[in-house]
């Protein structure tokens, strides 16, 4: 006998587990001499030891045993001996830490997903394998132990190994080139060169810095939240600094959230979409992913048009226009986006090199500005408002000076887009070597550096340049001239006329202030080009990457075409061209003043959801939320989300409304489609916490009759085997009560438990697929009754415990073994013992459709084998020149095809030729009868005994359902012949108090009369084979018969309950007379007194009572009120 030994029974490399070997004296004389010493054991170090280094310590003795270790941690093989601790060789493949066990040590391969690109997934030994007795005579194929020791001996690893080989040429980026460079380039936009001076001029130094700070803070907190998912001021004075700090706050909060999310597990490609979808689920992720990808695509057009406008301005100055300004923008923009597309399609490596070059240009331009501030100003620059660093200018520009129509929020709205771009690195998460480390480190450092640069530029330019200047060198102050007290006046220039007429220079009027201040003006132009092109290039790469990840998840079925990747880096070429088309369309418009606010709002919506994701994951308190980046706070993330939403409305309220409408539409669409994904989102975690809290809270509330609802255990077996029984139960429990489909596995415990565990998920999935709101539960037991008894006692949680048992009628009771019959009747007695109501359902064809399902499974298997064989033959024909017939056998072997093709085809044709009727078409139709809408008809309720009202409540609930709403209730009750009208009025009064609508009430006064002879004869013939007839025997013989057949119906028993037997037969006659045409009959279930009524007689009662009738529900409550007329 041979067994498959798991490949993970030993460590895969010495670099992971450093083994300290200490002599235990295995087979050495030294061990005996040192026997007085305490024993020494093998030690395992998980510390940060240097790779490929083994520390060995040993005691005096047989030292040569330890001389065979290599520096790699492997053991040198010898011809005659092996080391006692050799856990990497054939002789030790079943041992870990020197013990004979299949237990495996912790290893990362066990925790990978199937198909992981970072390494093959390895299956650890199952609990069953290490729990059950280890088989003797274990045989291992040659070389298999070596494969096990190396962690690659698991079936199915071949594909994973090939995938690993394919990864050799993939380009991966570190945190600098992959995140830091991209984020810095995206955050440093044209706003730095052509708008920052104006913002400081309007808001002043103080408020301007606050605006920057707020924007950056929101993005930084989002960044930290993202890092946690993948592994914050007191301001008074000038408004310019305040604006900068406000923007910094926005980006900083977002950055914190991003960092938190990104360090809470392995991050794949998809950037913001991946982080949001894996945290909040596909509904939020899918909606924001589509919006975010589209925003990045249109952002390409925005940045390219910004570049084109700068080029057109230069053409205007040199009088070199090609056509006109608008068409020149279109021409230059189209050429630029084609070049950028070429760089992107060439591969991520080329795109990264281009980004580095652009960053160098940008840094030189910024340095050029700071150098220019200390170069002494000449008269021309002074006339334009530049006086180098002056305390008087700093003081004058510290406070705000808003022009007409401008205010704090309008200036903030103009500046904030400059603070976006913090997700540029996260968007290419699939191309990062270590996203968990790169995203938080690169994003937060980029936010810090860019914020310092923005604040530094804002303060420096505001300390050197006055707000208004004429540009005329003649506006100097001469002696005797009155000074207006401005900073320029104290420096020898009079710009007072700017208060009455517009001027062209100064912070408030000239967008090219940085060019004027800088040491070399053209470098600022180069910086503008670099900022626009780098942002466009980053967006051109981000949009397809995010879109590809979205399409791969198949949330939007129609977009699957764009999921395909090409080359080693899985480049989304189709996504690149789609982005190119979108960008070209908006470039040709050449006017983005309307669409720009919407794009800013799209980005802000993404930031808001990232912040909310971090908050939501923390609030759900899932044990799986363990971000390696700990510098975040759930309430700060929530504040960041609210702040992002507020900023959206500040920037443009109608654009914010449009964004929310689009997002809501996509959210509803994805929710409706219900994509088949399970990402362990925080939404699931919070749902669990809410359900748990509600269940616990429910236990503190006493039950009340007004809140009673049927909570049912349904003995369906597998839910797909008795669909009709489940359907009728689901009809009165859906959306109102608990429904648990239960199955009892009877037989050897080991086999039963294995079968039960293997089918749990499949059967619950079947319920979900068929939209049945029910749970599946199963138990393994020695007998059926014991299993049901366990279910009756232990099912449910708190107040959500079953109060009603639903079973199908045992149609074959006369042919069933006595033990089965005893168990069947016994579970009814058990239910009454536990004060649980009972519902027995009978339909003419029975419930079990297992034979039909078995044939369907066989057909499906044969069809799959046929298709697999055809595919193998087709592949062989395509590769005939390469592998010949050998390839066919190889493929057929992989597909487990062992039978000859003609035989399979013959089997298939034989089975397919069978008519469906051979599978009992009537049974199939009967199994679906409660799925159909019931036409106009009646539900006849024979409420013969007061059981607390369950017999009346169940049919009433049925009439509320869509499929049963056309059925009217007819109530039948027993009464006296001479008081029919009085009792009818009394029952009508009771039903009206219960607020139960009914079509008619019938008082049956002749229930207790004897049935006719024909009916009674049928009953007698039914029980005849099971009667003992002891009254016709002598006493000794009668006693002997009772001992031999205690299960049979005695004459004494039959005589004692003769009136009850009459009643059951008579009731069937009345049912045939009054309810033969009803859609459903609900009838009081007769109760068999324990010890008085034999099982066979009770089953005979049920048989004669429900014989030849429409579907019947025999109902008996637990005799506690389930109806009330009190408010």
């Amino acid at each position: 006998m041979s067994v498959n030994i798991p490949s993970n029974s030993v460590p895969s490399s010495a670099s992971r587990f450093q083994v300290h070997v200490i002599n235990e004296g295995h087979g050495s004389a030294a061990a005996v001499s040192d026997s007085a010493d305490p024993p020494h054991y093998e030690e395992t170090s998980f510390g940060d030891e240097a790779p490929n280094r083994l520390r060995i310590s040993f005691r005096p003795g047989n030292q040569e045993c330890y001389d065979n270790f290599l520096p790699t941690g492997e053991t040198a093989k010898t011809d005659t001996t092996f080391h006692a601790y050799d856990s990497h060789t054939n002789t030790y493949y079943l041992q870990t830490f020197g013990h004979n066990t299949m237990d495996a040590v912790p290893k990362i391969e066990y925790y990978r997903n199937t198909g992981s690109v970072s390494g093959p997934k390895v299956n650890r030994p199952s609990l069953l394998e290490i729990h059950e007795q280890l088989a003797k005579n274990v045989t291992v194929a040659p070389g298999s132990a070596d494969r096990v020791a190396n962690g690659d001996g698991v079936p199915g690893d071949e594909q994973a190994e090939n995938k690993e080989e394919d990864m050799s040429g993939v380009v991966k980026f570190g945190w600098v080139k992959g995140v830091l460079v991209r984020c810095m380039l995206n955050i440093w936009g044209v706003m730095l060169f052509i708008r920052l001076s104006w913002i400081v001029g309007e808001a002043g130094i103080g408020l301007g810095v606050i605006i920057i700070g707020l924007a950056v803070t929101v993005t930084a907190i989002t960044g930290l939240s993202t890092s946690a998912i993948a592994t914050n001021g007191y301001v008074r004075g000038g408004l310019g600094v305040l604006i900068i700090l406000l923007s910094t706050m926005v980006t900083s909060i977002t950055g914190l959230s991003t960092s938190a999310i990104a360090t809470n597990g392995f991050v794949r490609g998809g950037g913001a979409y991946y982080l949001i979808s894996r945290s909040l689920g596909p509904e939020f992720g899918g909606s924001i992913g589509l919006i975010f990808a589209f925003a990045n695509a249109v952002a390409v057009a925005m940045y390219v048009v910004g570049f084109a406008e700068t080029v057109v301005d230069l053409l205007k100055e040199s009088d070199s226009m090609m056509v006109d300004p608008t068409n020149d923008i279109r021409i230059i923009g189209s050429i630029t986006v084609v070049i950028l597309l070429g760089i992107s399609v060439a591969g991520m490596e080329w795109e990264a090199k281009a980004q580095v070059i652009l960053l160098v240009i940008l840094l030189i331009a910024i340095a050029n500005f700071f150098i220019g501030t200390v170069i002494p100003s000449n008269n021309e620059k002074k006339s334009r408002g530049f006086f180098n660093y002056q305390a008087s200018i700093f003081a004058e520009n510290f406070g705000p000076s808003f022009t007409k129509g401008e205010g704090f929020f309008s200036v903030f709205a103009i500046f904030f887009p400059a603070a976006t771009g913090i997700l540029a690195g996260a968007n290419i998460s699939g191309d990062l070597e270590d996203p968990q480390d790169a995203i938080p480190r690169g994003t937060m450092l980029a936010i810090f550096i860019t914020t310092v640069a923005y604040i530094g530029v804002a303060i420096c330019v505001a300390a050197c340049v006055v707000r208004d200047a004429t540009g005329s060198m003649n506006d100097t102050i001469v002696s005797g001239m009155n000074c207006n007290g401005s900073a320029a006046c104290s420096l020898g220039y009079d710009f007072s006329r700017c208060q009455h007429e517009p001027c062209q220079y100064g912070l408030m009027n000239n967008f090219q202030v940085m060019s004027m201040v800088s040491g070399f003006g053209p470098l600022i132009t180069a910086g503008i080009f670099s900022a626009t092109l780098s942002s466009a290039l980053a967006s051109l790469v981000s949009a397809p990457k995010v879109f590809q990840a979205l399409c791969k998840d198949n949330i939007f079925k129609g977009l699957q075409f764009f999921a395909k990747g090409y080359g080693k880096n899985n480049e989304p070429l189709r996504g690149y061209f789609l982005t190119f088309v979108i960008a070209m369309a908006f470039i040709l418009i050449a006017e983005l003043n309307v669409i720009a606010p919407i794009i800013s709002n799209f980005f802000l919506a993404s930031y808001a959801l990232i912040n909310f994701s971090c908050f939501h994951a923390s609030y759900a308190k899932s044990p799986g939320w363990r971000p390696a980046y700990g510098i975040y706070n759930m309430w700060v993330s929530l504040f960041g989300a609210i702040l992002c939403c507020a900023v959206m409305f500040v920037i443009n309220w109608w654009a914010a409304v449009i964004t929310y409408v689009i997002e809501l539409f996509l959210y509803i669409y994805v929710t409706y489609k219900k994509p088949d994904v399970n990402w362990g989102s925080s939404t699931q975690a919070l749902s669990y916490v809410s359900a748990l809290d509600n269940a616990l809270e429910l236990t503190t509330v006493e039950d009340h009759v007004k809140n009673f609802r049927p909570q049912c255990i349904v003995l369906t077996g597998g839910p797909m085997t008795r669909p009709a029984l489940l359907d009728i139960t689901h009809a009165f429990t859906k959306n109102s009560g608990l429904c648990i489909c239960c199955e009892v596995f009877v037989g050897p415990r080991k086999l039963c438990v294995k079968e039960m565990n293997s089918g749990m998920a499949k059967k619950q999935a079947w319920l979900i697929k068929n939209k049945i709101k029910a749970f599946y539960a199963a138990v393994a037991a020695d007998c059926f009754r014991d299993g049901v008894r366990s279910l009756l006692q232990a099912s449910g949680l708190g107040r959500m415990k079953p109060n009603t048992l639903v079973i199908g009628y045992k149609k074959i009771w006369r042919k069933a073994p006595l033990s089965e019959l005893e168990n069947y009747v016994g579970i009814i007695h058990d239910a009454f013992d536990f004060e649980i109501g009972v519902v027995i359902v009978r339909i003419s064809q029975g419930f079990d459709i297992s034979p039909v399902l078995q044939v369907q499974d066989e057909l499906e298997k044969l069809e799959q084998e046929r298709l697999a064989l055809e595919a193998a033959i087709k592949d062989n024909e395509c590769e005939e020149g390469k592998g010949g017939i050998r390839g066919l056998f190889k493929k057929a072997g992989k597909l487990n095809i062992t039978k000859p093709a003609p035989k399979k085809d013959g089997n298939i044709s034989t089975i397919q030729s069978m008519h469906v009727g051979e599978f009992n078409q009537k049974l199939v139709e009967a199994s679906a009868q409660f799925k159909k809408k019931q036409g106009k008809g009646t539900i006849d309720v024979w409420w013969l005994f007061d059981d607390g009202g369950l017999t009346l409540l169940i049919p009433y609930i049925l009439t509320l359902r869509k499929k049963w709403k056309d059925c009217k209730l007819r109530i039948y009750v027993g009464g006296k012949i001479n008081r029919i009208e009085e009792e009818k009025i009394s029952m009508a009064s009771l039903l009206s108090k219960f607020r139960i609508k009914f079509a008619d009430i019938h008082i049956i006064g002749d229930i207790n009369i004897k049935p006719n002879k024909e009916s009674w004869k049928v009953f007698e013939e039914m029980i005849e084979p099971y009667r003992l007839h002891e009254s016709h025997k002598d006493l000794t013989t009668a006693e002997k018969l009772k001992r031999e057949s205690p299960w049979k119906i005695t004459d004494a028993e039959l005589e004692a309950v003769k009136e009850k037997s009459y009643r059951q037969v008579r009731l069937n006659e009345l049912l045939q007379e009054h309810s033969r045409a009803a859609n459903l009959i609900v009838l009081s279930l007769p109760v068999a007194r324990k010890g008085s009524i034999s099982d066979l007689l009770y089953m005979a009662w049920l048989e004669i009572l429900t014989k030849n009738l429409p579907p019947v529900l025999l109902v008996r409550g637990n005799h506690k009120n389930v109806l009330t007329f009190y408010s």
Side-chain angles (χ1 to χ4, degrees):
M1 178 181 177
S2 64
V3 296
N4 293 326
I5 306 302
S7 66
N8 40 43
S9 58
V10 293
S12 61
S13 67
S15 62
R16 179 165 176 80
F17 299 103
Q18 307 300 330
V19 180
H20 306 251
V21 182
I22 303 174
N23 185 7
E24 289 187 35
H26 286 275
S28 68
V32 177
S33 63
D34 294 337
S35 60
D37 290 346
H40 300 274
Y41 301 95
E42 174 182 309
E43 301 174 5
T44 303
S45 170
F46 294 84
D48 296 327
E49 299 292 336
N52 302 320
R53 181 166 65 88
L54 189 68
R55 297 192 304 169
I56 304 175
S57 60
F58 52 85
R59 296 175 54 81
N62 206 0
Q63 180 175 344
E64 59 268 22
C65 291
Y66 309 107
D67 293 338
N68 294 328
F69 279 98
L70 300 177
T72 61
E74 298 290 340
T75 306
K77 311 286 192 300
T78 63
D79 294 335
T80 58
T81 63
F82 66 90
H83 195 276
Y85 292 97
D86 183 6
S87 61
H88 290 250
T89 60
N90 295 11
T91 57
Y92 201 77
Y93 67 95
L94 276 183
Q95 297 187 17
T96 301
F97 302 142
H99 301 284
N100 186 15
T101 176
M102 290 182 65
D103 254 346
V105 294
K107 202 157 116 180
I108 191 173
E109 285 80 2
Y110 301 139
Y111 298 92
R112 287 197 174 106
N113 288 336
T114 304
S116 171
V117 297
S118 58
K121 173 180 173 58
V122 178
N123 294 321
R124 69 175 62 82
S126 69
L127 188 60
L128 185 65
E129 289 172 334
I130 64 175
H131 185 223
E132 294 294 334
Q133 185 176 0
L134 185 64
K136 299 180 180 179
N137 303 322
V138 177
T139 60
V140 182
S144 63
D146 289 335
R147 295 188 67 207
V148 168
N150 294 328
D152 56 3
V154 179
D157 275 357
E158 181 181 353
Q159 294 178 350
E161 290 171 3
N162 293 339
K163 184 174 286 189
E164 285 297 298
E165 293 173 3
D166 294 341
M167 293 294 293
S168 59
V170 174
V171 177
K172 294 288 185 179
F173 302 112
W175 70 274
V176 175
K177 189 183 289 188
V179 181
L180 180 65
V181 171
R182 294 174 187 278
C183 288
M184 288 172 63
L185 284 170
N186 253 29
I187 297 173
W188 278 332
V190 293
M191 199 69 64
L192 176 66
F193 298 102
I194 62 177
R195 282 292 185 275
L196 190 56
S197 58
W198 175 84
I199 289 169
V200 177
E202 288 281 348
I205 297 173
L207 195 55
V209 173
I210 290 298
I211 288 178
I212 296 176
L214 180 60
V216 176
T217 301
V218 171
T219 51
I221 292 185
T222 305
L224 281 181
S225 297
T226 309
S227 299
I229 297 178
T231 61
N232 227 348
Y234 173 76
V235 179
R236 188 173 182 179
L239 296 181
V241 177
L242 185 63
I243 289 175
I244 296 175
L245 290 179
L246 188 64
S247 302
T248 304
M249 184 186 297
V250 176
T251 54
S252 298
I253 294 175
T254 309
L256 292 171
S257 299
T258 306
S259 300
I261 299 173
T263 57
N264 193 53
F266 183 76
V267 179
R268 292 188 176 88
Y273 158 72
Y274 184 87
L275 299 175
I276 294 172
S277 62
R278 267 52 177 184
S279 180
L280 291 179
E283 296 83 6
F284 280 109
S287 57
I288 204 64
L290 204 57
I291 291 174
F292 190 70
F294 177 77
N296 272 286
V298 179
V300 176
M302 289 182 60
Y303 295 128
V304 169
V305 168
F307 167 77
E309 285 180 348
T310 306
V311 175
V312 169
D313 288 342
L314 294 175
L315 292 177
K316 283 181 182 178
E317 293 178 4
S318 60
D319 197 22
S320 303
M321 297 290 293
M322 291 179 284
V323 185
D324 57 65
T326 302
N327 285 310
D328 283 5
I329 290 173
R330 291 170 178 163
I331 294 169
I332 296 169
S334 300
I335 296 171
T336 304
V337 78
V338 170
I339 295 172
L340 294 177
L341 177 67
I343 296 173
S344 301
V345 172
M348 290 295 294
E349 193 171 6
W350 285 96
E351 186 266 348
K353 290 177 180 177
Q355 292 280 29
V356 172
I357 294 172
L358 293 173
L359 178 63
V360 170
I361 296 173
L362 195 57
L363 290 173
I364 292 173
I366 294 173
N368 175 49
F369 163 76
F370 286 112
I371 292 171
T373 60
V374 297
I375 296 176
S377 178
N378 54 34
N379 290 333
E380 182 182 1
K381 290 185 176 181
K382 287 181 179 180
S383 67
R384 296 181 178 183
F386 174 52
F387 295 94
N388 295 110
Y389 292 104
Q390 301 291 336
S392 57
I393 295 178
F394 182 90
E396 183 178 84
N397 289 339
F398 192 81
S401 179
F402 293 113
T403 56
K404 185 177 181 181
E406 299 294 345
F408 176 83
F409 289 110
S410 65
V411 174
F412 175 78
I414 292 171
F415 173 78
F416 182 77
T420 60
I422 62 164
L423 296 180
N427 286 340
I428 63 161
S429 53
D431 297 296
L432 301 175
E433 288 180 357
D434 185 5
Q436 290 178 280
D437 176 69
I439 291 175
R441 185 187 297 188
T443 302
M444 297 310 297
L445 185 58
I447 291 173
F448 175 76
I449 293 174
T450 53
T451 301
V452 170
Y454 270 123
I455 294 176
V457 170
I459 293 176
C460 290
V461 74
C464 297
V465 184
V466 297
R467 281 192 167 102
D468 296 296
T470 60
S472 173
M473 289 185 287
N474 296 324
D475 288 339
T476 56
I477 296 177
V478 296
S479 58
M481 191 172 180
N482 290 329
C483 185
N484 61 2
S486 66
C489 186
S490 63
L491 294 171
Y493 279 81
D494 180 20
F495 299 141
S496 57
R497 62 189 176 97
C498 291
Q499 299 176 0
H500 311 291
E501 59 184 66
C503 294
Q504 296 182 357
Y505 297 98
L507 295 176
M508 307 280 281
N509 311 301
N510 183 14
F511 291 153
Q512 302 298 328
V513 165
M514 288 191 67
S515 296
M516 177 191 69
V517 172
S518 64
F520 184 60
L523 279 179
I524 298 299
T525 303
I528 295 173
F529 288 170
S530 173
T532 53
L533 292 178
S534 63
S535 298
L537 193 57
S539 296
L540 186 57
V541 171
S542 297
K545 293 282 185 181
V546 173
F547 194 59
Q548 182 188 36
L550 176 66
C551 297
K552 277 185 176 180
D553 289 334
N554 204 22
I555 292 177
F556 300 98
K557 302 289 184 183
L559 303 178
Q560 186 67 19
F561 173 78
F562 296 99
K564 184 175 176 59
Y566 296 86
K568 293 286 186 181
N569 266 52
N570 196 33
E571 295 289 347
L573 296 185
R574 296 175 179 178
Y576 280 130
F577 286 104
L578 177 64
T579 304
F580 170 76
V581 170
I582 295 172
M584 280 294 294
F586 283 96
I587 288 171
L588 294 177
I589 294 173
E591 180 57 61
L592 297 179
N593 289 342
V594 175
I595 198 68
I598 297 180
I599 294 175
S600 295
N601 276 279
F602 282 177
F603 283 119
L604 275 168
S606 303
Y607 296 168
L609 277 182
I610 288 175
N611 284 311
F612 185 73
S613 298
C614 184
F615 163 76
H616 200 268
S618 303
Y619 185 74
K621 299 174 184 174
S622 171
W625 173 249
R626 303 183 300 274
Y629 195 91
I631 309 174
Y632 75 96
N633 181 275
M634 59 183 287
W635 301 111
V636 174
S637 295
L638 178 61
F639 171 71
I642 297 172
L643 194 58
C644 286
C645 295
V647 170
M648 289 173 67
F649 283 94
V650 166
I651 291 177
N652 191 305
W653 69 267
W654 58 264
V657 171
I658 291 175
T659 303
Y660 284 123
V661 168
I662 295 173
E663 186 176 335
L664 180 62
F665 171 77
L666 293 173
Y667 178 89
I668 294 172
Y669 173 81
V670 176
T671 303
Y672 174 76
K673 289 296 183 180
K674 292 182 179 177
D676 186 18
V677 294
N678 181 13
W679 295 325
S681 66
S682 60
T683 305
Q684 295 174 346
L686 193 61
S687 297
Y688 174 83
V689 172
S690 299
L692 184 61
D693 290 342
N694 290 336
L696 290 171
E697 185 178 353
L698 197 60
T699 59
T700 64
V701 180
E702 290 294 328
D703 288 331
H704 194 281
V705 63
K706 288 196 295 184
N707 293 323
F708 176 88
R709 57 197 68 222
Q711 303 194 124
C712 301
I713 277 186
V714 196
L715 298 185
T716 57
M720 63 285 291
T721 60
R722 292 175 176 81
L725 181 62
L726 180 57
D727 289 337
I728 188 62
T729 309
H730 188 242
F732 59 82
T733 60
K734 180 182 179 182
N735 296 329
S736 64
L738 179 69
C739 181
I740 306 177
C741 300
C742 294
E743 185 171 10
V744 179
F745 290 86
V746 179
R749 183 176 183 82
K750 180 178 177 181
L751 296 177
C752 288
V753 170
K754 183 177 181 181
E755 183 183 358
M756 179 179 70
N757 291 339
S758 63
M760 280 281 199
K762 178 182 176 182
K763 290 167 183 175
Q764 184 64 54
W766 185 90
L767 292 170
I768 296 171
K769 181 181 178 182
N770 288 273
K771 299 180 180 179
I772 296 174
K773 296 184 177 182
F775 300 97
Y776 172 76
V779 294
D782 295 331
C783 73
F784 180 70
R785 184 176 181 181
D786 287 344
V788 176
R789 190 183 287 126
S790 299
L791 290 167
L792 290 173
Q793 294 177 89
S795 295
L797 185 68
R799 297 290 182 193
M800 294 183 294
K801 291 184 70 69
N803 54 33
T804 307
L805 171 67
V806 181
I807 57 177
Y809 177 71
K810 196 171 188 65
K811 188 178 179 183
I812 58 169
W813 63 274
R814 281 176 278 193
K815 299 178 182 178
L818 291 173
S819 59
E820 286 188 13
L821 194 62
E822 183 181 356
N823 282 335
Y824 183 81
V825 177
I827 64 174
I828 299 175
H829 290 305
D830 292 338
F832 291 146
D833 287 342
F834 297 136
E835 295 189 340
I836 291 176
V838 175
V839 177
I840 301 176
V841 188
R842 180 174 185 177
I843 58 176
S844 58
Q845 296 296 322
F847 294 104
D848 193 359
I849 62 168
S850 298
V852 178
L853 296 177
Q854 186 176 358
V855 173
Q856 289 178 350
D857 289 342
E858 290 296 326
L859 283 173
E860 289 177 3
K861 289 178 182 177
L862 290 172
E863 181 66 13
Q864 288 174 0
E865 290 180 355
R866 184 183 67 81
L867 294 174
L869 182 63
E870 289 179 354
I873 294 172
K874 186 177 179 180
D875 290 345
N876 179 67
E877 290 174 352
C878 296
E879 301 176 7
E880 199 167 38
K882 299 178 182 178
I885 195 66
R886 201 180 312 169
L888 172 61
F889 287 115
K890 183 178 180 182
K891 292 181 181 293
K894 287 183 178 180
L895 294 168
N896 294 322
I897 299 173
T898 56
K899 295 183 181 179
K903 187 175 180 181
K904 285 183 180 294
D905 291 340
N907 288 341
I908 293 169
S909 61
T910 301
I911 293 182
Q912 287 179 339
S913 65
M914 295 181 184
H915 194 271
V916 181
E918 297 180 35
F919 304 144
N920 198 335
Q921 182 65 18
K922 289 183 179 180
L923 180 60
V924 175
E925 291 176 357
S927 68
Q929 63 180 302
F930 297 126
K931 286 184 170 69
K932 303 173 184 176
K933 181 177 175 59
Q934 306 295 317
K936 289 186 177 181
T938 62
I939 297 176
D940 287 1
V941 182
W942 290 70
W943 194 16
L944 303 177
F945 307 104
D946 194 331
D947 58 352
L950 186 63
T951 307
L952 189 60
L953 181 63
I954 287 177
Y956 167 74
I957 295 174
L958 285 175
T959 60
L960 302 178
R961 305 306 184 202
K962 191 174 181 180
K963 293 174 183 175
W964 294 87
K965 67 178 183 179
D966 293 332
C967 294
K968 307 298 182 183
L969 291 184
R970 292 194 303 186
I971 311 299
Y972 292 84
V973 292
K976 297 179 181 179
I977 296 178
N978 58 351
R979 287 180 51 83
I980 288 179
E981 287 303 321
E982 292 87 342
E983 292 189 8
K984 190 172 184 178
I985 294 172
S986 175
M987 179 56 61
S989 174
L990 179 61
L991 293 176
S992 63
K993 288 182 178 180
F994 286 149
R995 301 170 303 284
I996 292 178
K997 296 180 180 179
F998 57 91
D1000 202 358
I1001 296 176
H1002 297 270
I1003 306 298
I1004 308 300
D1006 53 353
I1007 292 179
N1008 288 326
I1009 66 173
K1010 288 185 179 181
N1012 61 50
K1013 293 181 179 180
E1014 290 78 10
S1015 300
W1016 182 250
K1017 185 178 180 181
V1018 170
F1019 178 73
E1020 287 185 325
E1021 291 174 352
M1022 184 187 302
I1023 63 174
E1024 180 61 31
Y1026 314 110
R1027 292 188 61 180
L1028 196 62
H1029 291 294
E1030 81 284 1
S1031 60
H1032 303 296
K1033 308 288 191 302
D1034 59 77
L1035 187 61
T1036 304
T1037 305
E1039 290 298 327
K1040 182 180 179 182
L1041 288 173
K1042 288 180 181 179
R1043 286 195 303 271
E1044 292 176 351
S1045 304
W1047 45 271
K1048 283 194 173 184
I1049 304 171
T1050 64
D1051 293 340
E1053 175 192 0
L1054 194 60
E1055 185 64 29
V1057 294
K1058 194 169 188 177
E1059 293 298 326
K1060 288 187 178 181
S1061 299
Y1062 282 155
R1063 185 190 304 149
Q1064 314 312 322
V1065 179
R1066 176 56 182 161
L1067 278 172
N1068 182 260
E1069 292 177 349
L1070 294 171
L1071 288 163
Q1072 298 282 354
E1073 178 184 349
H1074 296 279
S1075 300
R1076 188 68 184 268
N1079 295 58
L1080 180 70
I1081 298 173
V1082 181
L1083 175 65
S1084 292
L1085 171 69
V1087 176
R1089 194 177 296 277
K1090 287 194 296 183
S1092 301
I1093 309 297
S1094 63
D1095 297 339
L1096 285 167
L1097 180 59
Y1098 185 62
M1099 291 305 299
W1101 283 359
L1102 300 185
E1103 175 70 26
I1104 197 65
L1105 182 61
T1106 58
K1107 188 178 179 65
N1108 298 327
L1109 290 172
V1112 178
L1113 265 64
L1114 293 166
V1115 181
R1116 175 68 68 154
N1118 62 1
H1119 286 241
K1120 293 181 180 179
N1121 287 349
V1122 301
L1123 296 173
T1124 182
F1125 45 79
Y1126 294 108
S1127 59

